[in-house]
Amino acid sequence: LAIKVDVLVPPTLSIPFVEPSRIITRNSLPLMPLLPQLLLKLQCWDDHRRSRYNDKRMKQYVDEGDVRELLGIAMKRGVRVSNEGWLPSTFMMQGELRAKLYVAQYPTTRDHWHRIGFQC
């Protein structure tokens, strides 16, 4: 089993700055809060599906599964947009626009997005 890990630092790829107090540690690894993880994966999905390169466009299908899985976890953990006011408004607005695009492609996820607080 191989796992690729990318270490990116804000504001690379529109990654929001996360206060150290919001970062949790699991198995000695720092983890970003779930909502920004979900929205960054959604950004990957959108970027890949719009790419002019076929190999990049093919990655959208893996991203779609990752978004769906993270969305399910967010619902189970009670993540709510209204509780994440610390995230930059531009990051959240872009996330909502991408969520609408995602719902247009995968309409069965509409209720999931609504349950965490997005108007899709």
PDB file of all heavy atoms in Angstrom, residues 45 64 68 71 99-114 120:
ATOM      1  N   TRP A  45     -11.833  18.509  -7.335  1.00  0.00           N
ATOM      2  CA  TRP A  45     -12.798  17.925  -8.276  1.00  0.00           C
ATOM      3  C   TRP A  45     -13.113  18.914  -9.392  1.00  0.00           C
ATOM      4  O   TRP A  45     -13.089  18.567 -10.576  1.00  0.00           O
ATOM      5  CB  TRP A  45     -14.071  17.522  -7.518  1.00  0.00           C
ATOM      6  CG  TRP A  45     -15.209  17.192  -8.413  1.00  0.00           C
ATOM      7  CD1 TRP A  45     -15.410  16.014  -9.085  1.00  0.00           C
ATOM      8  CD2 TRP A  45     -16.301  18.048  -8.780  1.00  0.00           C
ATOM      9  NE1 TRP A  45     -16.560  16.089  -9.832  1.00  0.00           N
ATOM     10  CE2 TRP A  45     -17.129  17.335  -9.662  1.00  0.00           C
ATOM     11  CE3 TRP A  45     -16.663  19.342  -8.432  1.00  0.00           C
ATOM     12  CZ2 TRP A  45     -18.278  17.869 -10.214  1.00  0.00           C
ATOM     13  CZ3 TRP A  45     -17.809  19.891  -8.978  1.00  0.00           C
ATOM     14  CH2 TRP A  45     -18.600  19.153  -9.855  1.00  0.00           C
ATOM     15  N   GLU A  64     -14.539  12.772  -6.960  1.00  0.00           N
ATOM     16  CA  GLU A  64     -15.976  12.676  -6.697  1.00  0.00           C
ATOM     17  C   GLU A  64     -16.242  11.721  -5.547  1.00  0.00           C
ATOM     18  O   GLU A  64     -17.036  12.013  -4.644  1.00  0.00           O
ATOM     19  CB  GLU A  64     -16.727  12.220  -7.954  1.00  0.00           C
ATOM     20  CG  GLU A  64     -18.226  12.169  -7.785  1.00  0.00           C
ATOM     21  CD  GLU A  64     -18.743  10.876  -7.189  1.00  0.00           C
ATOM     22  OE1 GLU A  64     -18.161   9.818  -7.466  1.00  0.00           O
ATOM     23  OE2 GLU A  64     -19.738  10.927  -6.432  1.00  0.00           O
ATOM     24  N   ARG A  68     -17.747  12.719  -1.851  1.00  0.00           N
ATOM     25  CA  ARG A  68     -18.931  12.031  -1.327  1.00  0.00           C
ATOM     26  C   ARG A  68     -18.646  11.426   0.052  1.00  0.00           C
ATOM     27  O   ARG A  68     -19.452  11.525   0.970  1.00  0.00           O
ATOM     28  CB  ARG A  68     -19.368  10.938  -2.303  1.00  0.00           C
ATOM     29  CG  ARG A  68     -20.728  10.362  -2.007  1.00  0.00           C
ATOM     30  CD  ARG A  68     -21.120   9.344  -3.075  1.00  0.00           C
ATOM     31  NE  ARG A  68     -21.329   9.939  -4.366  1.00  0.00           N
ATOM     32  CZ  ARG A  68     -22.513  10.293  -4.858  1.00  0.00           C
ATOM     33  NH1 ARG A  68     -23.595  10.104  -4.131  1.00  0.00           N
ATOM     34  NH2 ARG A  68     -22.614  10.807  -6.060  1.00  0.00           N
ATOM     35  N   LEU A  71     -18.215  14.247   2.616  1.00  0.00           N
ATOM     36  CA  LEU A  71     -19.528  14.832   2.872  1.00  0.00           C
ATOM     37  C   LEU A  71     -20.325  13.971   3.851  1.00  0.00           C
ATOM     38  O   LEU A  71     -20.947  14.478   4.783  1.00  0.00           O
ATOM     39  CB  LEU A  71     -20.277  14.993   1.545  1.00  0.00           C
ATOM     40  CG  LEU A  71     -21.606  15.718   1.557  1.00  0.00           C
ATOM     41  CD1 LEU A  71     -21.489  17.109   2.157  1.00  0.00           C
ATOM     42  CD2 LEU A  71     -22.145  15.791   0.131  1.00  0.00           C
ATOM     43  N   ALA A  99     -20.147  23.553  -4.650  1.00  0.00           N
ATOM     44  CA  ALA A  99     -21.128  22.577  -4.172  1.00  0.00           C
ATOM     45  C   ALA A  99     -22.339  22.555  -5.097  1.00  0.00           C
ATOM     46  O   ALA A  99     -22.885  21.487  -5.401  1.00  0.00           O
ATOM     47  CB  ALA A  99     -21.540  22.893  -2.733  1.00  0.00           C
ATOM     48  N   LYS A 100     -22.760  23.713  -5.588  1.00  0.00           N
ATOM     49  CA  LYS A 100     -23.879  23.779  -6.533  1.00  0.00           C
ATOM     50  C   LYS A 100     -23.536  23.051  -7.832  1.00  0.00           C
ATOM     51  O   LYS A 100     -24.373  22.344  -8.391  1.00  0.00           O
ATOM     52  CB  LYS A 100     -24.262  25.229  -6.811  1.00  0.00           C
ATOM     53  CG  LYS A 100     -24.939  25.891  -5.632  1.00  0.00           C
ATOM     54  CD  LYS A 100     -25.239  27.351  -5.899  1.00  0.00           C
ATOM     55  CE  LYS A 100     -25.872  27.972  -4.656  1.00  0.00           C
ATOM     56  NZ  LYS A 100     -26.153  29.387  -4.828  1.00  0.00           N
ATOM     57  N   LEU A 101     -22.313  23.224  -8.298  1.00  0.00           N
ATOM     58  CA  LEU A 101     -21.875  22.510  -9.507  1.00  0.00           C
ATOM     59  C   LEU A 101     -21.844  20.999  -9.266  1.00  0.00           C
ATOM     60  O   LEU A 101     -22.230  20.210 -10.132  1.00  0.00           O
ATOM     61  CB  LEU A 101     -20.488  22.998  -9.937  1.00  0.00           C
ATOM     62  CG  LEU A 101     -20.394  24.441 -10.414  1.00  0.00           C
ATOM     63  CD1 LEU A 101     -18.939  24.852 -10.568  1.00  0.00           C
ATOM     64  CD2 LEU A 101     -21.153  24.620 -11.716  1.00  0.00           C
ATOM     65  N   TYR A 102     -21.394  20.629  -8.091  1.00  0.00           N
ATOM     66  CA  TYR A 102     -21.324  19.215  -7.727  1.00  0.00           C
ATOM     67  C   TYR A 102     -22.727  18.614  -7.679  1.00  0.00           C
ATOM     68  O   TYR A 102     -22.972  17.527  -8.206  1.00  0.00           O
ATOM     69  CB  TYR A 102     -20.613  19.067  -6.376  1.00  0.00           C
ATOM     70  CG  TYR A 102     -20.326  17.652  -5.971  1.00  0.00           C
ATOM     71  CD1 TYR A 102     -19.149  17.020  -6.374  1.00  0.00           C
ATOM     72  CD2 TYR A 102     -21.204  16.929  -5.170  1.00  0.00           C
ATOM     73  CE1 TYR A 102     -18.868  15.721  -5.993  1.00  0.00           C
ATOM     74  CE2 TYR A 102     -20.940  15.638  -4.781  1.00  0.00           C
ATOM     75  CZ  TYR A 102     -19.765  15.039  -5.201  1.00  0.00           C
ATOM     76  OH  TYR A 102     -19.490  13.747  -4.821  1.00  0.00           O
ATOM     77  N   VAL A 103     -23.664  19.341  -7.079  1.00  0.00           N
ATOM     78  CA  VAL A 103     -25.050  18.864  -6.992  1.00  0.00           C
ATOM     79  C   VAL A 103     -25.663  18.758  -8.391  1.00  0.00           C
ATOM     80  O   VAL A 103     -26.441  17.838  -8.658  1.00  0.00           O
ATOM     81  CB  VAL A 103     -25.889  19.778  -6.068  1.00  0.00           C
ATOM     82  CG1 VAL A 103     -27.379  19.523  -6.223  1.00  0.00           C
ATOM     83  CG2 VAL A 103     -25.464  19.573  -4.619  1.00  0.00           C
ATOM     84  N   ALA A 104     -25.300  19.670  -9.281  1.00  0.00           N
ATOM     85  CA  ALA A 104     -25.804  19.583 -10.661  1.00  0.00           C
ATOM     86  C   ALA A 104     -25.358  18.280 -11.317  1.00  0.00           C
ATOM     87  O   ALA A 104     -26.107  17.670 -12.084  1.00  0.00           O
ATOM     88  CB  ALA A 104     -25.336  20.792 -11.473  1.00  0.00           C
ATOM     89  N   GLN A 105     -24.155  17.827 -10.990  1.00  0.00           N
ATOM     90  CA  GLN A 105     -23.627  16.567 -11.535  1.00  0.00           C
ATOM     91  C   GLN A 105     -24.131  15.361 -10.756  1.00  0.00           C
ATOM     92  O   GLN A 105     -24.344  14.295 -11.319  1.00  0.00           O
ATOM     93  CB  GLN A 105     -22.087  16.565 -11.473  1.00  0.00           C
ATOM     94  CG  GLN A 105     -21.441  17.485 -12.439  1.00  0.00           C
ATOM     95  CD  GLN A 105     -21.130  16.783 -13.748  1.00  0.00           C
ATOM     96  OE1 GLN A 105     -21.764  15.833 -14.136  1.00  0.00           O
ATOM     97  NE2 GLN A 105     -20.114  17.285 -14.425  1.00  0.00           N
ATOM     98  N   TYR A 106     -24.282  15.522  -9.446  1.00  0.00           N
ATOM     99  CA  TYR A 106     -24.653  14.416  -8.550  1.00  0.00           C
ATOM    100  C   TYR A 106     -25.819  14.857  -7.667  1.00  0.00           C
ATOM    101  O   TYR A 106     -25.649  15.132  -6.479  1.00  0.00           O
ATOM    102  CB  TYR A 106     -23.441  13.991  -7.701  1.00  0.00           C
ATOM    103  CG  TYR A 106     -22.233  13.677  -8.542  1.00  0.00           C
ATOM    104  CD1 TYR A 106     -21.200  14.598  -8.694  1.00  0.00           C
ATOM    105  CD2 TYR A 106     -22.144  12.465  -9.229  1.00  0.00           C
ATOM    106  CE1 TYR A 106     -20.098  14.310  -9.496  1.00  0.00           C
ATOM    107  CE2 TYR A 106     -21.048  12.173 -10.033  1.00  0.00           C
ATOM    108  CZ  TYR A 106     -20.039  13.110 -10.156  1.00  0.00           C
ATOM    109  OH  TYR A 106     -18.956  12.829 -10.946  1.00  0.00           O
ATOM    110  N   PRO A 107     -27.029  14.938  -8.248  1.00  0.00           N
ATOM    111  CA  PRO A 107     -28.178  15.495  -7.524  1.00  0.00           C
ATOM    112  C   PRO A 107     -28.578  14.735  -6.263  1.00  0.00           C
ATOM    113  O   PRO A 107     -29.206  15.317  -5.373  1.00  0.00           O
ATOM    114  CB  PRO A 107     -29.305  15.473  -8.558  1.00  0.00           C
ATOM    115  CG  PRO A 107     -28.814  14.721  -9.726  1.00  0.00           C
ATOM    116  CD  PRO A 107     -27.340  14.575  -9.622  1.00  0.00           C
ATOM    117  N   THR A 108     -28.185  13.487  -6.148  1.00  0.00           N
ATOM    118  CA  THR A 108     -28.547  12.730  -4.936  1.00  0.00           C
ATOM    119  C   THR A 108     -27.824  13.251  -3.695  1.00  0.00           C
ATOM    120  O   THR A 108     -28.167  12.865  -2.583  1.00  0.00           O
ATOM    121  CB  THR A 108     -28.249  11.223  -5.101  1.00  0.00           C
ATOM    122  OG1 THR A 108     -26.854  11.052  -5.351  1.00  0.00           O
ATOM    123  CG2 THR A 108     -29.083  10.621  -6.230  1.00  0.00           C
ATOM    124  N   THR A 109     -26.842  14.133  -3.876  1.00  0.00           N
ATOM    125  CA  THR A 109     -26.105  14.674  -2.729  1.00  0.00           C
ATOM    126  C   THR A 109     -26.694  15.994  -2.220  1.00  0.00           C
ATOM    127  O   THR A 109     -26.222  16.522  -1.218  1.00  0.00           O
ATOM    128  CB  THR A 109     -24.618  14.895  -3.064  1.00  0.00           C
ATOM    129  OG1 THR A 109     -24.494  15.914  -4.075  1.00  0.00           O
ATOM    130  CG2 THR A 109     -23.954  13.612  -3.550  1.00  0.00           C
ATOM    131  N   ARG A 110     -27.716  16.512  -2.899  1.00  0.00           N
ATOM    132  CA  ARG A 110     -28.287  17.816  -2.521  1.00  0.00           C
ATOM    133  C   ARG A 110     -28.645  17.874  -1.033  1.00  0.00           C
ATOM    134  O   ARG A 110     -28.288  18.813  -0.327  1.00  0.00           O
ATOM    135  CB  ARG A 110     -29.508  18.135  -3.369  1.00  0.00           C
ATOM    136  CG  ARG A 110     -30.190  19.445  -2.929  1.00  0.00           C
ATOM    137  CD  ARG A 110     -31.348  19.850  -3.824  1.00  0.00           C
ATOM    138  NE  ARG A 110     -30.771  20.587  -4.949  1.00  0.00           N
ATOM    139  CZ  ARG A 110     -30.800  20.167  -6.220  1.00  0.00           C
ATOM    140  NH1 ARG A 110     -31.409  19.058  -6.540  1.00  0.00           N
ATOM    141  NH2 ARG A 110     -30.239  20.879  -7.161  1.00  0.00           N
ATOM    142  N   ASP A 111     -29.364  16.870  -0.544  1.00  0.00           N
ATOM    143  CA  ASP A 111     -29.777  16.863   0.859  1.00  0.00           C
ATOM    144  C   ASP A 111     -28.576  16.868   1.798  1.00  0.00           C
ATOM    145  O   ASP A 111     -28.605  17.526   2.842  1.00  0.00           O
ATOM    146  CB  ASP A 111     -30.668  15.646   1.148  1.00  0.00           C
ATOM    147  CG  ASP A 111     -31.163  15.644   2.578  1.00  0.00           C
ATOM    148  OD1 ASP A 111     -31.800  16.644   2.977  1.00  0.00           O
ATOM    149  OD2 ASP A 111     -30.888  14.666   3.307  1.00  0.00           O
ATOM    150  N   HIS A 112     -27.520  16.183   1.425  1.00  0.00           N
ATOM    151  CA  HIS A 112     -26.309  16.150   2.248  1.00  0.00           C
ATOM    152  C   HIS A 112     -25.716  17.555   2.401  1.00  0.00           C
ATOM    153  O   HIS A 112     -25.343  17.962   3.500  1.00  0.00           O
ATOM    154  CB  HIS A 112     -25.267  15.224   1.631  1.00  0.00           C
ATOM    155  CG  HIS A 112     -25.689  13.794   1.568  1.00  0.00           C
ATOM    156  ND1 HIS A 112     -26.722  13.353   0.783  1.00  0.00           N
ATOM    157  CD2 HIS A 112     -25.206  12.703   2.193  1.00  0.00           C
ATOM    158  CE1 HIS A 112     -26.859  12.052   0.914  1.00  0.00           C
ATOM    159  NE2 HIS A 112     -25.940  11.625   1.773  1.00  0.00           N
ATOM    160  N   TRP A 113     -25.626  18.274   1.287  1.00  0.00           N
ATOM    161  CA  TRP A 113     -25.092  19.635   1.327  1.00  0.00           C
ATOM    162  C   TRP A 113     -26.000  20.536   2.159  1.00  0.00           C
ATOM    163  O   TRP A 113     -25.507  21.363   2.933  1.00  0.00           O
ATOM    164  CB  TRP A 113     -24.904  20.191  -0.088  1.00  0.00           C
ATOM    165  CG  TRP A 113     -23.803  19.529  -0.829  1.00  0.00           C
ATOM    166  CD1 TRP A 113     -23.918  18.581  -1.806  1.00  0.00           C
ATOM    167  CD2 TRP A 113     -22.393  19.725  -0.644  1.00  0.00           C
ATOM    168  NE1 TRP A 113     -22.669  18.193  -2.239  1.00  0.00           N
ATOM    169  CE2 TRP A 113     -21.724  18.879  -1.551  1.00  0.00           C
ATOM    170  CE3 TRP A 113     -21.635  20.550   0.202  1.00  0.00           C
ATOM    171  CZ2 TRP A 113     -20.329  18.823  -1.636  1.00  0.00           C
ATOM    172  CZ3 TRP A 113     -20.249  20.493   0.112  1.00  0.00           C
ATOM    173  CH2 TRP A 113     -19.612  19.642  -0.791  1.00  0.00           C
ATOM    174  N   HIS A 114     -27.310  20.372   2.009  1.00  0.00           N
ATOM    175  CA  HIS A 114     -28.252  21.168   2.807  1.00  0.00           C
ATOM    176  C   HIS A 114     -28.064  20.897   4.287  1.00  0.00           C
ATOM    177  O   HIS A 114     -28.120  21.824   5.100  1.00  0.00           O
ATOM    178  CB  HIS A 114     -29.702  20.842   2.410  1.00  0.00           C
ATOM    179  CG  HIS A 114     -30.129  21.515   1.157  1.00  0.00           C
ATOM    180  ND1 HIS A 114     -31.444  21.684   0.821  1.00  0.00           N
ATOM    181  CD2 HIS A 114     -29.438  22.058   0.121  1.00  0.00           C
ATOM    182  CE1 HIS A 114     -31.529  22.305  -0.348  1.00  0.00           C
ATOM    183  NE2 HIS A 114     -30.324  22.528  -0.784  1.00  0.00           N
ATOM    184  N   CYS A 120     -27.867  24.573  -1.961  1.00  0.00           N
ATOM    185  CA  CYS A 120     -27.586  24.064  -3.321  1.00  0.00           C
ATOM    186  C   CYS A 120     -28.861  23.791  -4.077  1.00  0.00           C
ATOM    187  O   CYS A 120     -29.710  23.105  -3.678  1.00  0.00           O
ATOM    188  CB  CYS A 120     -26.753  22.799  -3.233  1.00  0.00           C
ATOM    189  SG  CYS A 120     -25.162  23.060  -2.456  1.00  0.00           S
TER     190      CYS A 120
END
